[in-house]
Amino acid sequence: MADHHYDAIVVGSGISGGWAAKELTEKGLKVLLLERGRNIEHIKDYHNAHKEAWDYPHRGEPTRQMKADYPVLSRDYPLNEQTLGMWADEQANPYVERQRFDWFRGYHVGGRSLLWGRQSYRWSPADFEANQREGVAVDWPIRYEDLAPWYDYVERFAGIAGTREGLDILPDGEFLPPIPLNRVEKDVAARLEQSFGGRRHLIHSRVANITQPKPEQNRVNCQFRNKCWLGCPYGGYFSTQSATLPVAMATGNLTLRPFSIVTQVLYDKDRGRARGVEVLDAENGQTYEYTADVVFLNASTFNSTWVLMNSATDVWPGGLGSSSGELGHNVMDHHFRAGASGEIEGYRDTYYFGRRPAGFYIPRFRNVGDDRRDYLRGFGYQGSASRERWDREVAEVSHGAELKQALSQPGGWSIGMTAFGEMLPRHANRISLDHGVTDAWGLPVLAMDVGLGDNERAMRRDMVQDAVDMLEAAGVQNVTPEEGDYAPGMGIHEMGTARMGRDPATSVLNAHNQVWDAPNVYVTDGACMTSSSCVNPSLTYMALTARAVDHAVRELKRGNLA
C-alpha cells in the first residue's frame, strides 16, 4: 500500500525539476517534489553569501584534507572553501571511471541551479536539424519552431539579460537589458567585425542574471557582486530557490521532501504505466512508496537514467526505457579549455563598475553558411577583458610601502576566451550500473565509459587557433594559445543517455519527453537530449520541461495516461 498518493511526482529539484514543480502546481495538480539531498532555504541558508576571502580560514583555497575527501572535485575549480558542502559527498556517492569522467554533482534542494554559470542561449534551427542532415545518431523529433514559444515563456519568467543581434545561428529571445561590455570589449568587438567582414561577432553574454527587478517574484536586480555560486540573497539570478520553488509553494499544491533517494519507478506491467516511485529515506534508511498519475524524472542527466535502469528490471533487464538498446548510451558534454589570451596596451584611464557576473560571447561561425571544415558542428567562445587587480605580482617591487602603493592601483588590461565545442552523440559513450560497487546506502553506482572522438579532437585545433587569430586581428599583444587539461564531464553539461526520437526502436523518449515504454513517465532534464549543440543547455531544459508539463496535463485530462 502506498504511503501517499499525489497527482504528480517530480524527482529532482534542480533547474528542470523546479520548473516541473512550478508548472504542475500552477495547473492545479497536487505534487510531491523529491530531492535526495538536504534542504537549502532561500537566503537563510546562504551562509557564505556575504563573506570575503579573508573570512575563510584558508582564504577560500582547498586544503589537503578537502582534496583527499573530494578527489574528483579537486581536479578543477569547484573545490574550494567557499562552496564546500554544496557538492555531493564523494565518499558516500562514489562512481566508477572506465575512462576518466569528471562528474560534479550538487545533491541538495535546488541542485546545480545554485551553482550554474547562468549562460542562457537558445538553440538554432540548424541545431535541431543537424543529426538528420549529417546522418548522425537519430533525428530530433522536434524542431526549433516547436520550442520557440516555450523559449519565450521561460525567458520572460526566468529573466535573461542580453541583446538582439539578428543572427540565425543564435536566435534572439525575450531579453532584459544586457550586462554591459566594458570599453576594451566594445573596441575588440568593433575590430573583429571589421577584420572578418561581419562574419564573426563579439556580443554581450546572455545570462540568467536579472538587470531589472522582478517584484512579483521578490527578486532584486543583480548587484554585480559576482558571488552567484554562494547563493544570491537578492534573487539576482535564476534558481529554484529564488524563482520556481516559491511560486510552486504559493499554490498550496506542493509537498517538498528532501533526503529522499528515489530507487526506482514502480511499473505496472499489466497497464504499461508507472504507478509511482520507491523512495529510500537517506536519514533513517526506511523505504516508502508514493503513487501518482504522472512521474517527471528531473534528477539530473545521469541520475534520471540511473533510476530508469534500476526500474522494471523484471520486464526489461536493462531497465525501464531500455527496449531500444539506447538507455545509458550517447553521453555528451561540451568540451572546452581551449582558447587564447593576451594583453592590451593603453586604456589606463578606463575601469568598469562592480564585478560583473558575465563577459562576452562569440557565437559559432564554423560550419555556418559557406564555411566548411574537416569536422562536423562547431563551437562558441565565452570570455572577458579586465584589469589586473591587487593580487597580481609586481616584479619591480618586492616588499614594503612601494609594493602596497603599487598594488593599490589597477594593473594592465588583459583579455581571454575559451571555446565550448559540440560533442557528437556516439553509442559507445555510455554509462551503466556497476553492481560490484555500492554507495553509502548499498545501491549500485554508475560506471562511466566516455571519451572524445576524432571529430572533437579535430575541432579543438580550430578552437585554439581561431582564438589566437581573432585576438591578434583585434590588436591584442603577447597572445598565448591555451589548451588545458580536459576530460568529459568537466564542462558540467552532461547530456544524453535517454534520448528523444521518432522511433521507439532507436530512442528512449518520444517528441513530448515521454518514455515510450511508460507514457506517464516524462524525462526533461539533460538525459533527454538527442544532440548537444555548442551552447549552454539549461535554457533548453527549461523550455522542454514547460512544454512537457503542458502536454502531460492535457493528456491527464483526456484520460490518456491512466
Side-chain angles (χ1 to χ4, degrees):
M1 184 175 180
D3 293 277
H4 210 293
H5 180 81
Y6 295 85
D7 297 322
I9 293 172
V10 178
V11 181
S13 61
I15 283 177
S16 63
W19 265 102
K22 168 189 174 294
E23 295 297 302
L24 288 163
T25 54
E26 284 191 307
K27 294 179 186 297
L29 276 65
K30 296 294 184 181
V31 177
L32 175 64
L33 177 59
L34 297 168
E35 168 55 51
R36 67 178 293 146
R38 66 189 174 98
N39 192 16
I40 293 180
E41 291 189 29
H42 186 44
I43 303 176
K44 181 177 79 70
D45 290 334
Y46 302 156
H47 302 300
N48 293 338
H50 295 290
K51 289 184 179 179
E52 298 295 342
W54 50 83
D55 293 316
Y56 300 94
H58 304 93
R59 301 300 185 260
E61 297 300 313
T63 65
R64 290 182 180 180
Q65 187 61 53
M66 289 166 59
K67 292 177 181 179
D69 292 340
Y70 295 89
V72 176
L73 278 180
S74 67
R75 298 171 184 172
D76 204 0
Y77 71 91
L79 185 62
N80 57 73
E81 281 188 302
Q82 300 171 56
T83 58
L84 186 63
M86 295 287 281
W87 299 98
D89 182 338
E90 294 180 23
Q91 308 305 311
N93 299 278
Y95 64 97
V96 176
E97 295 179 274
R98 303 277 163 76
Q99 297 186 67
R100 177 182 165 184
F101 193 96
D102 294 3
W103 192 17
F104 302 150
R105 300 158 286 171
Y107 290 167
H108 50 257
V109 171
R112 287 178 298 191
S113 78
L114 289 175
L115 297 159
W116 67 310
R118 305 166 310 285
Q119 300 276 327
S120 301
Y121 304 96
R122 294 187 181 202
W123 280 34
S124 72
D127 289 322
F128 289 98
E129 299 163 3
N131 276 8
Q132 182 189 49
R133 184 176 63 250
E134 298 164 355
V136 172
V138 298
D139 185 22
W140 274 89
I142 61 174
R143 290 294 185 259
Y144 175 77
E145 291 73 22
D146 296 308
L147 210 54
W150 297 103
Y151 277 133
D152 290 346
Y153 177 73
V154 299
E155 285 167 343
R156 285 193 293 264
F157 178 84
I160 309 299
T163 52
R164 291 177 170 267
E165 301 290 341
L167 302 174
D168 292 338
I169 198 64
L170 195 72
D172 293 328
E174 300 290 320
F175 297 136
L176 297 173
I179 293 189
L181 298 176
N182 58 44
R183 181 181 166 187
V184 168
E185 292 165 347
K186 291 177 182 177
D187 285 356
V188 169
R191 294 170 190 169
L192 289 183
E193 289 281 337
Q194 182 176 16
S195 298
F196 294 94
R199 295 186 300 275
R200 302 186 190 182
H201 310 272
L202 187 155
I203 68 174
H204 299 75
S205 293
R206 295 174 178 176
V207 289
N209 290 78
I210 57 175
T211 51
Q212 293 175 340
K214 283 184 167 288
E216 73 281 6
Q217 296 181 22
N218 294 315
R219 295 173 61 194
V220 179
N221 51 287
C222 178
Q223 302 295 296
F224 283 36
R225 302 181 332 130
N226 197 25
K227 293 179 178 289
C228 309
W229 61 93
L230 304 180
C232 182
Y234 305 94
Y237 70 87
F238 172 87
S239 68
T240 295
Q241 273 84 344
S242 69
T244 50
L245 185 58
V247 171
M249 283 295 192
T251 66
N253 293 327
L254 184 71
T255 299
L256 172 64
R257 193 185 197 281
F259 295 112
S260 301
I261 302 173
V262 174
T263 56
Q264 63 174 307
V265 173
L266 301 170
Y267 182 72
D268 185 335
K269 58 186 176 183
D270 294 326
R271 294 171 48 241
R273 300 288 188 273
R275 61 182 182 87
V277 299
E278 180 183 84
V279 168
L280 175 63
D281 190 297
E283 292 185 299
N284 64 27
Q286 297 298 306
T287 298
Y288 304 90
E289 288 188 3
Y290 297 95
T291 60
D293 300 319
V294 64
V295 176
F296 270 73
L297 291 182
N298 301 96
S300 79
T301 296
F302 291 169
N303 284 317
S304 288
T305 298
W306 183 97
V307 171
L308 289 172
M309 290 192 293
N310 207 48
S311 303
T313 53
D314 58 329
V315 182
W316 300 279
L320 180 61
S322 67
S323 59
S324 66
E326 294 299 331
L327 184 66
H329 294 271
N330 310 295
V331 175
M332 298 166 285
D333 185 29
H334 287 140
H335 60 105
F336 74 128
R337 287 197 157 194
S341 63
E343 301 168 357
I344 300 178
E345 295 182 353
Y347 301 96
R348 292 285 180 160
D349 61 343
T350 302
Y351 205 68
Y352 36 81
F353 171 76
R355 299 173 181 172
R356 298 176 306 167
F360 62 76
Y361 188 70
I362 298 177
R364 174 183 160 188
F365 52 82
R366 288 303 182 198
N367 290 318
V368 174
D370 59 1
D371 181 80
R372 290 294 177 267
R373 314 302 292 171
D374 62 351
Y375 53 83
L376 301 176
R377 316 293 167 92
F379 48 87
Y381 290 96
Q382 297 176 25
S384 66
S386 61
R387 295 192 71 170
E388 292 180 299
R389 304 187 308 154
W390 64 269
D391 51 358
R392 72 189 186 279
E393 293 182 10
V394 182
E396 296 80 7
V397 184
S398 61
H399 62 274
E402 290 185 0
L403 176 62
K404 293 180 180 179
Q405 178 61 31
L407 292 181
S408 70
Q409 302 298 319
W413 283 89
S414 63
I415 186 170
M417 63 177 79
T418 187
F420 285 74
E422 179 164 358
M423 187 172 176
L424 294 180
R426 295 193 297 126
H427 185 81
N429 281 336
R430 63 175 300 207
I431 61 173
S432 58
L433 291 185
D434 189 326
H435 292 274
V437 180
T438 56
D439 64 16
W441 297 272
L443 299 169
V445 305
L446 287 173
M448 316 296 191
D449 193 357
V450 183
L452 292 183
D454 292 340
N455 198 74
E456 290 81 38
R457 284 188 283 269
M459 186 187 298
R460 291 181 73 79
R461 293 192 293 269
D462 274 0
M463 290 162 66
V464 175
Q465 190 58 52
D466 286 349
V468 171
D469 293 345
M470 285 188 288
L471 292 180
E472 289 180 344
V476 178
Q477 305 295 310
N478 300 320
V479 175
T480 303
E482 297 176 349
E483 183 169 6
D485 175 44
Y486 169 78
M490 191 175 282
I492 323 184
H493 293 166
E494 64 269 18
M495 289 173 269
T497 67
R499 70 185 179 194
M500 297 171 68
R502 298 179 182 273
D503 185 346
T506 58
S507 58
V508 179
L509 311 173
N510 68 13
H512 296 287
N513 296 82
Q514 296 167 280
V515 175
W516 289 106
D517 299 328
N520 65 335
V521 178
Y522 289 74
V523 183
T524 65
D525 57 19
C528 77
M529 304 297 272
T530 310
S531 61
S532 65
S533 180
C534 68
V535 299
N536 301 55
S538 294
L539 185 70
T540 298
Y541 303 164
M542 298 185 209
L544 285 169
T545 302
R547 177 178 179 267
V549 169
D550 181 73
H551 178 267
V553 173
R554 286 188 283 109
E555 289 294 282
L556 280 171
K557 291 179 179 178
R558 292 168 181 161
N560 292 337
L561 299 184

